PDB file of all heavy atoms in Angstrom:
ATOM      1  N   GLN A 310     -19.173  18.803  -4.174  1.00  0.00           N
ATOM      2  CA  GLN A 310     -19.051  20.082  -4.900  1.00  0.00           C
ATOM      3  C   GLN A 310     -19.202  19.826  -6.407  1.00  0.00           C
ATOM      4  O   GLN A 310     -18.604  18.925  -6.958  1.00  0.00           O
ATOM      5  CB  GLN A 310     -17.687  20.737  -4.588  1.00  0.00           C
ATOM      6  CG  GLN A 310     -17.472  20.991  -3.116  1.00  0.00           C
ATOM      7  CD  GLN A 310     -18.455  21.974  -2.542  1.00  0.00           C
ATOM      8  OE1 GLN A 310     -18.586  23.117  -2.999  1.00  0.00           O
ATOM      9  NE2 GLN A 310     -19.230  21.500  -1.568  1.00  0.00           N
ATOM     10  N   THR A 311     -19.996  20.673  -7.029  1.00  0.00           N
ATOM     11  CA  THR A 311     -20.202  20.521  -8.478  1.00  0.00           C
ATOM     12  C   THR A 311     -19.048  21.106  -9.258  1.00  0.00           C
ATOM     13  O   THR A 311     -18.547  22.209  -8.952  1.00  0.00           O
ATOM     14  CB  THR A 311     -21.482  21.237  -8.927  1.00  0.00           C
ATOM     15  OG1 THR A 311     -22.574  20.697  -8.113  1.00  0.00           O
ATOM     16  CG2 THR A 311     -21.787  21.034 -10.379  1.00  0.00           C
ATOM     17  N   SER A 312     -18.627  20.390 -10.301  1.00  0.00           N
ATOM     18  CA  SER A 312     -17.587  20.886 -11.178  1.00  0.00           C
ATOM     19  C   SER A 312     -17.753  20.289 -12.566  1.00  0.00           C
ATOM     20  O   SER A 312     -18.571  19.349 -12.733  1.00  0.00           O
ATOM     21  CB  SER A 312     -16.193  20.573 -10.643  1.00  0.00           C
ATOM     22  OG  SER A 312     -15.955  19.173 -10.647  1.00  0.00           O
ATOM     23  N   SER A 313     -16.994  20.768 -13.515  1.00  0.00           N
ATOM     24  CA  SER A 313     -17.205  20.303 -14.914  1.00  0.00           C
ATOM     25  C   SER A 313     -16.783  18.876 -15.165  1.00  0.00           C
ATOM     26  O   SER A 313     -17.288  18.238 -16.093  1.00  0.00           O
ATOM     27  CB  SER A 313     -16.443  21.221 -15.850  1.00  0.00           C
ATOM     28  OG  SER A 313     -15.055  21.254 -15.494  1.00  0.00           O
ATOM     29  N   THR A 314     -15.934  18.320 -14.293  1.00  0.00           N
ATOM     30  CA  THR A 314     -15.473  16.950 -14.506  1.00  0.00           C
ATOM     31  C   THR A 314     -15.987  15.995 -13.425  1.00  0.00           C
ATOM     32  O   THR A 314     -15.459  14.885 -13.308  1.00  0.00           O
ATOM     33  CB  THR A 314     -13.936  16.912 -14.528  1.00  0.00           C
ATOM     34  OG1 THR A 314     -13.381  17.364 -13.273  1.00  0.00           O
ATOM     35  CG2 THR A 314     -13.379  17.747 -15.626  1.00  0.00           C
ATOM     36  N   LEU A 315     -16.951  16.442 -12.639  1.00  0.00           N
ATOM     37  CA  LEU A 315     -17.514  15.571 -11.592  1.00  0.00           C
ATOM     38  C   LEU A 315     -17.947  14.268 -12.165  1.00  0.00           C
ATOM     39  O   LEU A 315     -18.619  14.205 -13.188  1.00  0.00           O
ATOM     40  CB  LEU A 315     -18.719  16.299 -10.900  1.00  0.00           C
ATOM     41  CG  LEU A 315     -19.398  15.524  -9.795  1.00  0.00           C
ATOM     42  CD1 LEU A 315     -18.440  15.287  -8.590  1.00  0.00           C
ATOM     43  CD2 LEU A 315     -20.604  16.314  -9.282  1.00  0.00           C
ATOM     44  N   ASP A 316     -17.587  13.161 -11.506  1.00  0.00           N
ATOM     45  CA  ASP A 316     -17.870  11.834 -12.013  1.00  0.00           C
ATOM     46  C   ASP A 316     -19.378  11.637 -12.157  1.00  0.00           C
ATOM     47  O   ASP A 316     -20.148  11.893 -11.288  1.00  0.00           O
ATOM     48  CB  ASP A 316     -17.281  10.785 -11.030  1.00  0.00           C
ATOM     49  CG  ASP A 316     -17.259   9.425 -11.631  1.00  0.00           C
ATOM     50  OD1 ASP A 316     -18.321   8.803 -11.767  1.00  0.00           O
ATOM     51  OD2 ASP A 316     -16.132   8.964 -11.968  1.00  0.00           O
ATOM     52  N   GLN A 317     -19.703  11.148 -13.347  1.00  0.00           N
ATOM     53  CA  GLN A 317     -21.147  10.989 -13.667  1.00  0.00           C
ATOM     54  C   GLN A 317     -21.839   9.990 -12.736  1.00  0.00           C
ATOM     55  O   GLN A 317     -23.006  10.140 -12.427  1.00  0.00           O
ATOM     56  CB  GLN A 317     -21.319  10.530 -15.147  1.00  0.00           C
ATOM     57  CG  GLN A 317     -22.708  10.608 -15.654  1.00  0.00           C
ATOM     58  CD  GLN A 317     -23.292  12.037 -15.629  1.00  0.00           C
ATOM     59  OE1 GLN A 317     -22.556  13.029 -15.799  1.00  0.00           O
ATOM     60  NE2 GLN A 317     -24.630  12.140 -15.460  1.00  0.00           N
ATOM     61  N   GLN A 318     -21.142   9.027 -12.272  1.00  0.00           N
ATOM     62  CA  GLN A 318     -21.728   8.019 -11.383  1.00  0.00           C
ATOM     63  C   GLN A 318     -22.089   8.660 -10.044  1.00  0.00           C
ATOM     64  O   GLN A 318     -23.034   8.248  -9.372  1.00  0.00           O
ATOM     65  CB  GLN A 318     -20.743   6.881 -11.154  1.00  0.00           C
ATOM     66  CG  GLN A 318     -20.506   6.017 -12.385  1.00  0.00           C
ATOM     67  CD  GLN A 318     -19.512   4.911 -12.140  1.00  0.00           C
ATOM     68  OE1 GLN A 318     -19.927   3.756 -12.173  1.00  0.00           O
ATOM     69  NE2 GLN A 318     -18.262   5.217 -11.944  1.00  0.00           N
ATOM     70  N   ILE A 319     -21.392   9.722  -9.677  1.00  0.00           N
ATOM     71  CA  ILE A 319     -21.715  10.435  -8.438  1.00  0.00           C
ATOM     72  C   ILE A 319     -22.896  11.390  -8.722  1.00  0.00           C
ATOM     73  O   ILE A 319     -23.810  11.523  -7.891  1.00  0.00           O
ATOM     74  CB  ILE A 319     -20.498  11.241  -7.940  1.00  0.00           C
ATOM     75  CG1 ILE A 319     -19.459  10.260  -7.414  1.00  0.00           C
ATOM     76  CG2 ILE A 319     -20.896  12.218  -6.854  1.00  0.00           C
ATOM     77  CD1 ILE A 319     -18.124  10.887  -6.877  1.00  0.00           C
TER      78      ILE A 319
END
Side-chain angles (χ1 to χ4, degrees):
Q310 301 299 299
T311 303
S312 66
S313 56
T314 61
L315 180 62
D316 195 285
Q317 191 61 31
Q318 294 179 111
I319 291 180

